[in-house]
Amino acid sequence: MLLLVGLGNPGPRYAKNRHNIGFMAVDTIVHRHRFGPWRKRFRGQVAEGSVAGVKVLALKPATFMNESGRAVGEAARFYKLVPPQVLVVYDEIDLHPGKVKVKTGGGAGGHNGIRSIDSHIGSNYRRVRLGVGHPGDKERVQAHVLSDFSKHDQAWLDKLLDAVADEFPRLVEGDDGGFMSRVAHVMTPPTPKPGPKPGPKPGSKPGPKPAPKPEGEAEPDPTGSTQEDSQ
């Protein structure tokens, strides 16, 4: 079994915030893979499904971000899950918008939701970090993550959420590298290499060479005049 956790803040006020990209990703996965309906449980909302032959419980904590670990801890203890069976999806300001990184364990990196989960189940769980970009100034970070995605962001955001949902089976199967590679390919397709220059068809014979110009022959005059005319 896999516990899939999306991080965000509850309520319509925060629904389109950068900080809620974890909720957005899990919503897209649940829809794409036809999970059951959302219902209240474990201080949050849960939906059950099966992906790649594995039972997956999606969880969106209904507490605020800095208390996310309470819901995750309750669900993990109820199903007797160990940290490697937990996969958390959340926003990462230290990644460029649209970039994705997957890792196991590590520090919280200043993310209050991750810090809360660490305090309830330890840190040895898998993390899917979705880049939302950095505002460039530490003092503006909170306002940045608690503001909505712009219209300019929407094109890459929709593409990212679709790619994460499409490639989610790779995460279920433990192919983290393959997941990152496929999502990156969708977000930044490789530039096609230029084709070969056109040349003679295979087996074709070269055309005849132009006849050499006789020695002493005058070059044609583009004006049409002759030596006599010019005198």
Side-chain angles (χ1 to χ4, degrees):
M1 181 179 178
L2 178 70
L3 176 61
L4 169 66
V5 182
L7 294 188
N9 286 306
R13 175 183 173 185
Y14 304 99
K16 297 181 181 181
N17 284 184
R18 292 178 176 87
H19 222 16
N20 275 42
I21 196 172
F23 276 7
M24 298 175 194
V26 169
D27 281 336
T28 308
I29 290 169
V30 165
H31 176 74
R32 183 68 45 84
H33 296 280
R34 300 181 179 181
F35 282 37
W38 290 102
R39 53 198 176 92
K40 292 181 179 180
R41 200 176 182 193
F42 305 126
R43 299 176 188 262
Q45 289 186 309
V46 299
E48 296 183 16
S50 179
V51 178
V54 176
K55 181 179 179 180
V56 179
L57 181 72
L59 168 65
K60 296 189 298 181
T63 57
F64 281 96
M65 183 70 81
N66 61 350
E67 293 289 345
S68 300
R70 295 168 66 188
V72 178
E74 284 189 19
R77 286 189 295 272
F78 182 87
Y79 288 104
K80 296 180 173 59
L81 302 177
V82 293
Q85 291 175 282
V86 178
L87 180 67
V88 181
V89 187
Y90 63 99
D91 59 299
E92 176 57 76
I93 61 171
D94 290 330
L95 290 177
H96 288 296
K99 297 292 184 182
V100 178
K101 293 291 183 183
V102 183
K103 69 172 185 176
T104 299
H111 197 288
N112 290 332
I114 296 299
R115 184 180 292 112
S116 177
I117 295 173
D118 288 353
S119 69
H120 283 265
I121 67 169
S123 62
N124 195 34
Y125 53 89
R126 294 161 69 203
R127 303 132 189 255
V128 179
R129 301 181 293 157
L130 306 181
V132 297
H134 197 288
D137 182 352
K138 186 177 179 181
E139 299 300 320
R140 295 167 53 202
V141 166
Q142 184 174 356
H144 177 69
V145 297
L146 292 178
S147 61
D148 290 353
F149 284 105
S150 68
K151 290 182 179 179
H152 175 75
D153 292 325
Q154 207 60 49
W156 68 258
L157 177 62
D158 290 343
K159 186 189 294 187
L160 175 64
L161 297 176
D162 283 340
V164 168
D166 288 342
E167 301 302 329
F168 179 66
R170 295 180 184 272
L171 289 176
V172 175
E173 295 169 346
D175 183 11
D176 295 352
F179 170 82
M180 287 188 284
S181 176
R182 289 300 306 159
V183 172
H185 181 86
V186 171
M187 298 304 295
T188 311
T191 304
K193 295 181 180 179
K197 294 182 179 179
K201 295 181 180 179
S204 63
K205 295 181 179 180
K209 294 182 179 179
K213 182 179 69 174
E215 292 185 9
E217 183 177 322
E219 292 286 344
D221 185 352
T223 66
S225 64
T226 64
Q227 193 95 18
E228 291 79 3
D229 294 334
S230 62
Q231 291 179 354

